């Protein structure tokens, strides 16, 4: 072997030192971490934000379908939150037996009135021809679920005996319903007023009266009163006969539900009484780094049955989301109420 060959054979092979390996592994870990973080942000963050909005919208839509009554979603753009409001039945009475018992265990105290067999469904509660101050009191104020502050829906079947008017019912000093002379209706609720010093008090009644001729003596009619903090409406046999724009909260229920509350007995009968209160789900907040598009809607209103309320929305509604890296997402509510 030559001297040169000997020197070449003895030259050691050069590889990575321990420090170099640690540096390379560290760089790979950093790059992998950045990649995983970006993927997680793009996939998980986006889906979480979109999923929150879709779930709240679908909750309101489902409530409007199941309850056959209006529902809405309120969007707080600066607060990055949204909340669904829908109707929850809090009382049902069908007047088949005495004492008066409701579906949720709220029993009434009968101080007059009688059960008659020719009701809207089965028997009915009639005050026609009863003595003065005949009434039924149901202590709904003791039930925490009977909270009408966000709004309410009341439905019942009514049959008048004469064309004279009379007070059908009242719920404490919170709301009431009466018939007027000639077959009309008058609904009212007491608003909650917030004074400048922060004190809350009961305001004067907000009254909505219909035209006469809606109720025919001796015939059953289905009457509804609805209030959703945007509109007070009266419906007869499924048709809106009067409405009034209003947004005040309803005064807290402090007294019982009274049927035929005035001194003169109501000149007719009542059946199938159902009271529902507007209840809100938990407020949902968008994930960090996501905001609502400021040009988007502040509320989305569903009509009974789940379609968008045509009086509020003339076309599909789009809720925009903006991410802090400049990306955007859109959630659309179609006129039929479907969310995509």
């Amino acid at each position: 072997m030559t001297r040169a060959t000997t020197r070449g054979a003895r030259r050691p092979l050069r590889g990575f030192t321990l420090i170099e390996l640690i540096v390379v592994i560290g760089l790979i870990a950093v790059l992998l971490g950045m990649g995983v973080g970006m993927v997680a942000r793009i996939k998980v963050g986006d889906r979480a934000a979109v999923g929150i909005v879709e779930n709240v919208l679908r909750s309101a839509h489902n409530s409007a379908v199941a309850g056959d009554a209006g529902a809405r979603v309120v969007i707080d753009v600066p607060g990055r939150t949204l909340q669904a409001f829908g109707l929850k039945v809090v009382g049902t009475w069908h007047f088949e037996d005495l004492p008066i018992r409701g579906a949720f265990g709220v029993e009434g105290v009968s101080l007059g009135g009688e059960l008659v067999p020719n009701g809207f469904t089965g028997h009915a509660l009639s005050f026609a021809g009863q003595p003065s101050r005949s009434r039924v009191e149901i202590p709904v104020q003791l039930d925490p679920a009977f909270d009408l502050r966000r709004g309410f829906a009341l439905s019942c079947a009514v049959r008048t005996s004469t064309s004279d008017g009379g007070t059908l019912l009242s719920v404490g000093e919170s709301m009431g319903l009466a018939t007027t002379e000639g077959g009309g209706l008058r609904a009212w609720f007491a608003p909650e007023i917030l004074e400048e010093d922060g004190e809350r008090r009961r305001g004067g009644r907000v009254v909505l009266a219909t035209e006469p001729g809606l109720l025919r003596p001796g015939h059953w009619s289905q009457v509804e009163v609805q209030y959703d903090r945007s509109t007070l409406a009266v419906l007869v046999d499924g048709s809106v006969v009067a409405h009034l724009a209003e947004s005040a909260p309803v005064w807290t229920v402090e007294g019982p539900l009274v049927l035929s509350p005035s001194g003169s007995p109501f000149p007719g009968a009542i059946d199938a009484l159902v009271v529902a209160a507007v209840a809100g789900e938990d407020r949902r907040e968008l994930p960090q780094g996501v905001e609502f598009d400021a040009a988007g809607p502040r509320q989305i209103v569903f009509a009974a049955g789940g379609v968008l309320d045509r009086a509020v929305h003339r076309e599909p509604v789009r809720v925009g989301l903006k991410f802090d890296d400049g990306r955007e997402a859109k959630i659309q509510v179609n006129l039929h109420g479907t969310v995509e």
Side-chain angles (χ1 to χ4, degrees), residues 24-307:
V24 171
I25 292 173
L27 289 173
I28 293 174
V30 170
L31 292 174
L32 285 175
M34 291 176 61
V36 171
M38 291 179 64
V39 171
R41 181 179 177 184
I42 292 173
K43 300 296 184 181
V44 178
D46 288 14
R47 290 179 180 176
V50 172
I52 288 172
V53 176
E54 288 180 338
N55 289 339
V56 174
L57 290 170
R58 287 178 176 140
S59 175
H61 171 259
N62 293 339
S63 174
V65 173
D68 196 26
R72 59 194 171 99
V73 172
V74 176
I75 299 174
D76 181 0
V77 174
R80 301 173 40 255
T81 64
L82 71 168
Q83 189 174 15
F85 295 90
L87 284 172
K88 177 182 178 182
V89 175
V90 293
T92 303
W93 295 270
H94 288 281
F95 312 110
E96 296 297 331
D97 300 293
L98 291 175
I100 304 298
R101 291 187 175 88
F104 298 92
V106 182
E107 185 172 312
V109 177
S110 180
L111 302 173
E114 62 176 344
L115 297 182
V116 293
N118 54 342
F120 184 72
T121 56
H123 290 77
L125 178 64
S126 176
F127 294 96
Q130 293 291 295
S132 298
R133 305 192 64 81
S134 294
R135 65 193 186 279
V136 170
E137 296 184 357
I138 305 172
V140 297
Q141 77 276 18
L142 304 179
D143 184 357
F146 226 88
D147 184 354
L148 309 183
R149 288 176 296 176
R150 294 191 181 105
F152 59 86
L154 182 147
S155 65
C156 61
V158 179
R159 182 181 62 197
T160 57
S161 301
T162 68
S163 59
D164 297 332
T167 306
L168 179 60
L169 61 84
S170 65
V171 183
E173 290 296 326
S174 298
M175 64 86 57
L177 177 64
T179 60
T180 58
E181 187 175 353
L185 290 161
R186 185 178 68 250
W188 62 268
F189 79 89
E192 180 183 271
I193 304 299
L194 180 63
E195 301 286 5
E196 293 182 357
D197 58 3
E199 183 180 354
R200 300 179 185 275
R201 65 174 179 84
R202 185 176 70 244
R205 292 180 176 182
V206 176
V207 180
L208 177 60
T210 74
E211 296 292 332
L214 298 172
L215 307 179
R216 292 186 300 161
H219 292 78
W220 284 104
S221 299
Q222 289 183 289
V223 176
E224 299 176 63
V225 181
Q226 299 177 358
Y227 179 57
D228 61 358
R229 295 285 302 275
S230 63
T231 304
L232 175 64
V234 175
L235 298 83
V236 175
D237 295 329
S239 299
V240 177
V241 294
H243 61 88
L244 175 69
E246 184 56 64
S247 60
V250 181
W251 183 250
T252 303
V253 175
E254 297 177 329
L257 165 60
V258 183
L259 306 176
S260 186
S262 68
S264 300
F266 176 72
I270 182 173
D271 198 2
L273 173 61
V274 179
V275 181
V278 173
E281 293 188 351
D282 292 338
R283 190 183 299 270
R284 301 295 303 276
E285 183 177 357
L286 295 178
Q288 290 297 323
V290 187
E291 296 181 349
F292 288 108
D293 185 349
R298 295 305 192 267
Q299 71 170 351
I300 300 172
V301 183
F302 296 89
V307 301

